[in-house]
Amino acid sequence: MNNCSLADSIFVSYLFEIIKTYNFYHIMKNKTKIFRRNKLKDFMFFVVSLIFVAASYLILEKNPLMGYLGISFFGIGSILFLIQLLTNISYIKLSEEGVEEKNLFRTKNYKWSEVEHFRQVNFRGNKSIVFDYTKEYKKAKVNKKTFKFLLEKQQSITSSHNIKTDELVKLMINYKRNSK
């Protein structure tokens, strides 16, 4: 009788593992999460940029070089923030494959298998998420050395989206843990 119950318990535990794996795969497949940029922050940066454009215009007579530089710099900034505000072009997407970070000019993809762990850092008042690549991951050696030197980590993700940074870190850790 013991052999039969041992075999039964092994079978049942094996069956539960199959069900858990299937359920997780099914859940994760349908649980892609996308976090857009924080529109309020973009609007505030847009307004501040316009104020600096106006201030630069006012100093044109006294200091033409600084006036034109200010108008150019903050004018370009205000255009970029307006684009961010009017479109949904920038986001962070979490999926069963990994993290995708898209902004105006490029898209970066990080597979869960390439990432060792995540953590939040504060750099001059700005919150970011940093992570190390796994030892097996050998892509972009120059970037890895540069980031490791600057932040003691190997890559970073900006945190200006519609989710708190610490919540995003926890979510990323959970997605990574469940992707194995």
Side-chain angles (χ1 to χ4, degrees):
M1 191 80 173
N2 279 343
N3 288 341
C4 192
S5 59
L6 178 63
D8 287 342
S9 66
I10 290 172
F11 175 74
V12 169
S13 65
Y14 179 71
L15 190 60
F16 277 130
E17 284 301 315
I18 291 173
I19 291 170
K20 274 185 2 188
T21 304
Y22 172 76
N23 283 341
F24 170 73
Y25 176 75
H26 184 67
I27 289 168
M28 289 298 287
K29 190 171 185 176
N30 297 323
K31 287 286 187 173
T32 298
K33 293 191 178 196
I34 297 176
F35 300 100
R36 303 285 178 190
R37 285 184 56 90
N38 187 326
K39 297 283 188 185
L40 181 61
K41 282 184 184 178
D42 284 344
F43 181 73
M44 288 174 24
F45 285 131
F46 173 69
V47 170
V48 168
S49 294
L50 287 180
I51 290 170
F52 277 103
V53 167
S56 298
Y57 180 77
L58 293 176
I59 64 166
L60 268 176
E61 286 184 16
K62 292 181 181 177
N63 193 343
L65 177 64
M66 290 303 288
Y68 286 119
L69 285 175
I71 290 171
S72 300
F73 179 76
F74 292 108
I76 290 170
S78 62
I79 290 169
L80 293 177
F81 284 117
L82 184 63
I83 291 170
Q84 292 277 32
L85 195 59
L86 297 177
T87 66
N88 278 327
I89 198 164
S90 297
Y91 60 81
I92 290 179
K93 179 168 69 171
L94 304 179
S95 67
E96 66 181 69
E97 291 89 30
V99 179
E100 179 179 325
E101 180 184 26
K102 182 168 176 32
N103 62 32
L104 281 175
F105 305 109
R106 66 181 171 172
T107 302
K108 297 184 279 185
N109 291 296
Y110 310 104
K111 294 180 182 177
W112 298 122
S113 61
E114 299 169 347
V115 176
E116 196 165 320
H117 52 49
F118 300 95
R119 73 181 177 107
Q120 176 182 324
V121 295
N122 294 324
F123 185 70
R124 296 184 181 172
N126 296 317
K127 295 178 182 177
S128 290
I129 300 168
V130 294
F131 60 89
D132 280 328
Y133 285 115
T134 59
K135 292 177 183 174
E136 295 82 30
Y137 184 71
K138 302 295 181 189
K139 193 175 174 183
K141 291 179 184 177
V142 174
N143 284 342
K144 287 171 68 174
K145 288 179 184 176
T146 305
F147 276 104
K148 191 157 181 121
F149 175 74
L150 291 175
L151 292 174
E152 299 176 358
K153 289 288 153 193
Q154 293 178 345
Q155 196 60 267
S156 68
I157 296 175
T158 60
S159 183
S160 56
H161 297 81
N162 58 359
I163 183 172
K164 292 182 179 181
T165 306
D166 56 341
E167 291 175 18
L168 183 57
V169 169
K170 289 176 186 173
L171 204 57
M172 292 169 82
I173 291 169
N174 196 26
Y175 263 76
K176 177 175 172 40
R177 182 181 312 125
N178 292 328
S179 71
K180 295 180 181 179

